[in-house]
Every structure is written in structure tokens, then in C-alpha cells.
Amino acid sequence: MTFLDRALELDWLERGWSSGKAELRILFGRRRVGKSALLDEFARGKRHVLYQAVEGSTADQLHDLTVAILAAEDDEGLRAAPLANWDAAFAHLARMAGVAPLLVILDEYQYAAEADQSLASRLQRWWSRTAANLPIYLVLCGSYVRFFVKNVLTGPAYGRNTGSLQLRPLDYRAAALFFPDWSAEDRIRAYAVTGGVPHYLLQFNPQRSLAWNITHHVLQRGAVLYQEAELLVREELREPRVYYSILRALSDGLTRVSEITTRVHGPGGGSDLSAYLSTLQELGLAEYQQPVIGTAVRRGIWTVSDPYLRFWFRFVLPYRNRLEHGANTDRFYADVVAPSLDHFVSKPTFEEICRAWVLAQAETKHRAGVERVGAWWGPVPSPTPAQPKRQTEGELEVVAVAQNRIVLAGEAKWTREPVGLGVLNHVR
């Protein structure tokens, strides 16, 4: 399988390998985002030990690590006496690094750390006293984002790591590489359905049509993307019921904390959900948006930021009963999805793609003055003879800002018709 994109992330990893000194890197991100594939690509051609932890006891972890070390480099002593504890494991890795530079990848590190609460401090002590003086490159990787933020970035490894990176989903330009023979329009539509998570993109068959893929890989019972939304919430988050309800509220167009709280807890109210929303933002599942320029703080809104979740909550969840009871998915696609798909794509996916394009153009053309690109909404003058101070709500989908000044303003129109002068007049 061809490895696509991730050039910046690979360069970040390679710079550490070529530094000639001990490196402790931290790589984390939501499940399915491509961390393991990235590390496999990075490890290619390097002397390395790759260990992926699974849920289980410390004894299980050490047994599996022994197997991983022996797969990388046979050792009679280790075969005769497998690793008995983490101190023995670190000592063995140090001996290996003493011979030649060594890459060590501890993938899904959170499972090993949860099985042995002393692992983090043991690792910190070993790194400070021994490994920091060896040509060893250690990568701690995992998919439980909250664990890494609270226990790795700010835990015993704090101040000792030489770099940390949260791996994000691919942007549209990279995701489009998965479907090289599709039209530009269908590549954008596909991105609006799957987002940039590589595992989701790989569910689609580029040799078949977009309609066929949506029908068989999203709407069909038993398909990975038919149930992935529920699994994502359950595996990533404690109290999945609350988070699931919040995402449903956001998908239904509720954007304020007060509105979301009322939907989740009922009219009687309940505890504030700001912390839950912040966690969803941390995972890249929700986003708090404000006008890109101005002081309209109260105009901030919460939205679902993951394209796949947006599609699932729009076209799968509301029709779950119908799909579960043997609906003809080809007919369902034709009747329900196809007529609304382009309207769904237009906002916010196409708008997000346009904003990303403007920012990329600014960087490519070395227009360093552009600091950020976003949307703007708020009151605009709309006077009439009877009401000279009348205002209406206005919105611009694409606004580039430099030094608190607007340097570019535009609209994102996903339409089959030519854009007329009315759009230009609206922007003016």
C-alpha cells in the first residue's frame, strides 16, 4: 500500500533521527488517524524495536515486548530469560543502543502505563540516568488523547521530551490523493463524508463511484463507517452518553452552551457542559468558532468539526430505524442522500476547504503578513429611508487577516451555476 502525504510529520521525525543525540518524542492522536502507519514508514530501513501494547497485565506487556525485541534482533540470553520487569526491559534496550543507534517505538503506550502505575516514573529515571547519554530514539505513541495530555505531556516526561506532536486528520488536498481518478467535485464530496482520517478514506474503493461507496460503506449495516461514530465516542471518552447527546445537539444546529445544556439535561437544567465541550475540542470532534476579526466574543458558536460525524449525524442516525430494518440502501441513497448531498457539502465543508486554500496560497506566495483565515459574521448596515440606522446579520465565509486588518474577503459558493455580480455586491 502506498503511503500518502504526512511529509511535514515525517520530516519532524527524521530531524530527530539525524540529530545524533538521544531523542524522546511524543506522538499522539485520535484512533484511526494514521499514527502507526506513520511510524511504520519512519522506521523503514532503521534499526528499530516496534512494540504495540494492548490492554492486559504487566506480565503480558513484558512478554509481548520480549517477542518484539527478539523479532528485531535475536538474543540467546533474552530467549532464555524473558524480561521480568520494566527495569530489565530498559536495561536491555540500553545495551542494544550501546552497540549502534536504535529506534524504539512504544505504541499505545497508555495501555502499558495503566497496567503499571510506576512505569512513567521508571521510564523518567532510566531516561535521565542512562538513555540520555546513548544514541537512542524513543517514541511514545498512543491514541488516548486525554491520557497523553494529562499524564505524558505534563507527567514525569515533562521537560525531558525533545518534541511532541498531536497527529491531526489529513487536510482535503492530502485526502484527495486517495481518489486520483475521481472528479474534483467527487473528491470534495468524499471528503465531506469521510473527513481526513486515513482509515475512513481507505474504506472507500476508488475504482467504484462515490454513490456506490456511500451506499455500501456508510449506509449498509455491518459496514465500518455505519457504526464507527458510536464506537469512536465509546472508546475515546468516559461518560459516552453525555458526549453522544452533545454531538447530537450540535448536529441539530444548537450552538450555544445554554442551548446544548437544555437539550442534554432537559428544561430543568443541569451541570454546565463547558468541560465536556472542551474535551470534544481537544479530540478534534467539536470546535468553538468566533468571528475571525472584531470583538464580538458573545457571537462564538460551537459546531461539530469532524466531517464524518457531521455526515453520520445528518444521514445515518435520523434514519437508523429504517436502515436497521432492511431498507434498500440504493433507494435510500437516491431518495434521501443524493438530493441533499450538495447542500450538505456546501456548508461547512466547502467553506473550510476554501479557507484552507487561501491560507495555503498565502504561505506558498510567501505572504507572511496573513496571520489567520476564518469566517466572519455579525451586524452590517442595511439602511432604509424609514430606518437609516437599520442593521441586518451578515456573513463572509472567507476572511484573511493581517495585523488586525482584513486583507482578503470572499464567499464560498458550491454551485453548478456561474457566480453572478450579486455575490460581488454582497461581499462589498
Side-chain angles (χ1 to χ4, degrees), residues 293-348:
I293 192 169
T295 57
V297 176
R298 292 184 180 180
R299 292 185 171 272
I301 59 173
W302 282 96
T303 63
V304 176
S305 57
D306 181 77
Y308 161 70
L309 287 180
R310 291 196 294 247
F311 184 89
W312 191 88
F313 278 103
R314 170 66 178 82
F315 291 108
V316 178
L317 181 63
Y319 304 95
R320 197 65 178 273
N321 188 59
R322 181 173 168 184
L323 293 169
E324 284 287 327
H325 290 86
N328 182 305
T329 50
D330 290 302
R331 188 179 304 122
F332 178 85
Y333 176 84
D335 293 344
V336 177
V337 180
S340 303
L341 183 58
D342 278 327
H343 182 265
F344 170 80
V345 170
S346 67
K347 187 180 183 65

Side-chain angles (χ1 to χ4, degrees), residues 299 378-384 387-394:
R299 292 185 171 272
V380 293
S382 183
T384 66
Q387 296 176 292
K389 295 185 178 181
R390 179 175 175 267
Q391 292 184 325
T392 59
E393 282 293 306

Side-chain angles (χ1 to χ4, degrees), residues 119-259:
L119 175 57
S121 57
R122 290 176 184 275
L123 175 62
Q124 175 264 316
R125 184 172 63 246
W126 170 72
W127 186 263
S128 300
R129 296 179 179 178
T130 305
N133 301 311
L134 294 169
I136 191 166
Y137 191 127
L138 175 63
V139 180
L140 302 182
C141 178
S143 57
Y144 189 11
V145 174
R146 297 194 70 197
F147 175 88
F148 270 76
V149 170
K150 294 185 176 182
N151 300 298
V152 181
L153 295 179
T154 58
Y158 176 73
R160 293 170 178 83
N161 75 75
T162 56
S164 63
L165 179 68
Q166 182 172 359
L167 194 63
R168 304 286 186 180
L170 298 168
D171 63 12
Y172 162 71
R173 290 176 298 172
L177 299 174
F178 285 71
F179 313 110
D181 298 326
W182 287 7
S183 68
E185 292 87 353
D186 275 352
R187 288 197 293 257
I188 287 177
R189 292 183 182 108
Y191 181 74
V193 176
T194 64
V197 175
H199 182 71
Y200 301 171
L201 290 159
L202 289 170
Q203 300 307 308
F204 277 21
N205 181 352
Q207 306 306 315
R208 306 299 294 262
S209 69
L210 173 66
W212 185 93
N213 277 287
I214 293 175
T215 300
H216 290 81
H217 293 302
V218 185
L219 304 177
Q220 196 82 260
R221 282 188 308 160
V224 169
L225 297 180
Y226 179 78
Q227 56 191 12
E228 171 67 13
E230 293 173 302
L231 296 176
L232 174 65
V233 174
R234 287 175 187 165
E235 292 193 18
E236 289 280 6
L237 299 160
R238 294 183 173 91
E239 298 184 85
R241 179 189 60 80
V242 176
Y243 287 104
Y244 192 75
S245 296
I246 291 173
L247 289 169
R248 286 193 66 172
L250 293 174
S251 299
D252 287 342
L254 303 181
T255 61
R256 313 285 179 180
V257 175
S258 58
E259 299 172 334

Side-chain angles (χ1 to χ4, degrees), residues 370-423:
V370 175
E371 299 163 0
R372 59 192 184 276
V373 178
W376 178 90
W377 58 93
V380 293
S382 183
T384 66
Q387 296 176 292
K389 295 185 178 181
R390 179 175 175 267
Q391 292 184 325
T392 59
E393 282 293 306
E395 180 181 3
L396 289 169
E397 291 94 1
V398 183
V399 176
V401 176
Q403 296 181 348
N404 214 35
R405 292 177 56 250
I406 295 174
V407 295
L408 179 147
E411 294 215 54
K413 294 297 184 185
W414 179 256
T415 173
R416 296 180 186 276
E417 304 301 323
V419 175
L421 289 176
V423 174

Side-chain angles (χ1 to χ4, degrees), residues 29-40 48-58 60-69 71 86 104-113 119 138-144 148 235:
R30 60 183 273 195
R31 65 197 293 271
R32 315 292 203 186
V33 81
K35 300 179 298 298
S36 297
L38 173 65
L39 291 173
D40 286 344
H48 70 276
V49 172
L50 173 56
Y51 166 62
Q52 184 168 9
V54 295
E55 291 187 89
S57 66
T58 298
D60 292 335
Q61 310 284 352
L62 292 167
H63 173 270
D64 293 346
L65 178 57
T66 300
V67 172
I69 292 174
W86 281 107
V104 179
I105 298 171
L106 300 184
D107 200 358
E108 300 298 357
Y109 166 76
Q110 71 274 3
Y111 293 135
L119 175 57
L138 175 63
V139 180
L140 302 182
C141 178
S143 57
Y144 189 11
F148 270 76
E235 292 193 18

